[in-house]
Structures are given as structure tokens and as C-alpha cells.
Amino acid sequence: MPSFWQYLLSFLYPPHCPGCHVAVSRHGEWCRHCRDEVWQPRQLAGSHHGKLTGCYACTDYRGGVRSALLRYKFGRKHLDPLVFQNLLRDFPWPDAFPDDALCVPIPLSRERYAERGFNQVAEIFAPLARERGWQWSKDLVKIRHTPAQSTLSRTDRHTNIKNSFQWEGVPLTGRTVILVDDIYTTGATLEEAARVLYRAGAAQIIGWVIASGAR
């Protein structure tokens, strides 16, 4: 049953769909139209590159999800991460991820973190990792500041991100890693991060993202 504070929150700030802003019954809920427009859980066909075993996405990167992710990334105070966590909780194949996995978010460079003030990937995925009982690690670090991948061509994205990550934790010998990010476009970022994790000893690296424009 909702608490008094939840009732008060809903009264002061009525819940609305993060995609189209129509009224909904609970905070973090999507309207049926916005959800049905983008809901497309799948393993991305082109995600089996290099050391990445594969990558799962929950939605298409378009419509309300695209606009919500951009708003959250560049204006966190105006959107609750619950709107993305609810999508991830509805992922239909939870057995794709082993219970003893290590969950690792794609990190930001120090410069980007200082500019933004938070890592949106960590804020969205960390509560889910705790719910699933996965160990959470922030030992993958970005050691080189790079231009935003979204501004570059496919070829340039791979060049841009190369040698920008470093593992600073204990060896990952035999571990399965769930490598999480918000968006999968060309896969360059996840592939480069997976290469570093594999060199640190990981046996299997599985990607998981909220949205992707790839199939």
C-alpha cells in the first residue's frame, strides 16, 4: 500500500509518462503508447564482436525513450531514474545473467564527470544490481578524456575510444561480467571496455543496455 509520503508526492507532483507527459497512475510508469512504441527486448545481432559475448537491449533508441535518456543525461534533476529501472526490471530473460556475476558500468572521464556531476549509467543500474545480488564494481575507469561518441562516424568511434579504459581492481579470473551502459549504437564503447576486462581475466562479458538503434 502506498505510504503517506507517496500520496503526498503524487499530489504535489502528479505522475506523468516520461515520453509524452500524459498522466499515469504511478511515478516511473510509461503510458501504453510510449512503451509499446519502443519496447523491443532482444540480443543485438551485431554485438558478438571481439571479447564481448553479446549485448541485450530492452528498447529501441527512439521516441519517448530517446528523449527521456537525453533529458536525464543532461538534466538529471528533471527525471527520476525509476523510469529506466522499471523498463530494465521488465527484461523478459533474467536467466541470461548468472546470479554470481559482477556488474560493471561504463565509466566517465574525470572531465566529463566534473561537467555532468554524476554517471547516469551507475545511478540507473546500481539499484538493480543490488536487487539481483550482483557484486557492483567501479574499478573500470576511463583514463583518457574523449569527444562524445555521438558526434563521430562508426570508424572514428572505434579510434576515439581505443585505449581509454583501465581496470584497477583485483584480477577477474574466471568471472562473468555484466557490462552496462545506457545506449548501444555501434558497440565501440562496450567492445573496448570488454577488451580491457578480458585482459583482466574475465571469462565472459555480457552487455546490457536500456536502448539501441541496432538490431
Side-chain angles (χ1 to χ4, degrees):
M1 178 178 292
S3 70
F4 167 78
W5 296 111
Q6 289 172 314
Y7 277 121
L8 182 61
L9 177 65
S10 294
F11 177 76
L12 296 175
Y13 304 101
H16 60 269
C17 172
C20 67
H21 305 290
V22 70
V24 293
S25 59
R26 292 171 296 182
H27 286 284
E29 187 177 72
W30 294 77
C31 75
R32 181 177 295 275
H33 171 77
C34 285
R35 180 185 168 86
D36 289 350
E37 181 184 28
V38 298
W39 184 245
Q40 194 66 240
R42 62 200 183 277
Q43 185 176 46
L44 302 171
S47 64
H48 304 273
H49 293 299
K51 306 305 181 184
L52 190 66
T53 304
C55 182
Y56 292 93
C58 290
T59 69
D60 287 336
Y61 184 54
R62 60 189 179 89
V65 164
R66 183 179 186 276
S67 63
L69 279 168
L70 291 174
R71 292 203 314 278
Y72 184 68
K73 185 180 293 191
F74 299 110
R76 175 180 54 163
K77 293 181 180 178
H78 303 294
L79 201 60
D80 190 324
L82 182 64
V83 304
F84 307 113
Q85 292 161 359
N86 283 343
L87 294 173
L88 292 164
R89 287 188 179 100
D90 287 341
F91 181 70
W93 308 298
D95 292 342
F97 309 117
D99 293 336
D100 61 351
L102 177 70
C103 195
V104 177
I106 292 294
L108 300 178
S109 66
R110 281 184 292 183
E111 293 87 347
R112 189 77 72 209
Y113 189 91
E115 172 188 308
R116 194 172 296 169
F118 71 111
N119 181 344
Q120 77 282 356
V121 177
E123 293 207 354
I124 291 168
F125 280 91
L128 296 171
R130 289 194 295 270
E131 289 175 15
R132 291 290 303 267
W134 296 331
Q135 184 181 348
W136 178 262
S137 174
K138 297 188 289 185
D139 290 326
L140 180 68
V141 299
K142 193 168 186 187
I143 57 175
R144 183 169 61 82
H145 184 58
T146 58
Q149 292 283 80
S150 60
T151 65
L152 304 172
S153 69
R154 184 183 185 91
T155 301
D156 288 343
R157 289 182 188 212
H158 286 271
T159 303
N160 180 55
I161 204 70
K162 190 171 179 61
N163 297 321
S164 63
F165 298 119
Q166 179 173 294
W167 178 253
E168 297 187 346
V170 299
L172 295 171
T173 308
R175 295 296 302 268
T176 293
V177 175
I178 302 171
L179 185 60
V180 295
D181 203 359
D182 50 358
I183 305 161
Y184 181 109
T185 305
T186 65
T189 299
L190 287 181
E191 289 169 29
E192 178 61 18
R195 184 183 69 83
V196 172
L197 295 172
Y198 185 79
R199 289 179 60 185
Q204 180 179 216
I205 302 151
I206 307 168
W208 193 20
V209 298
I210 299 164
S212 177
R215 291 292 169 181

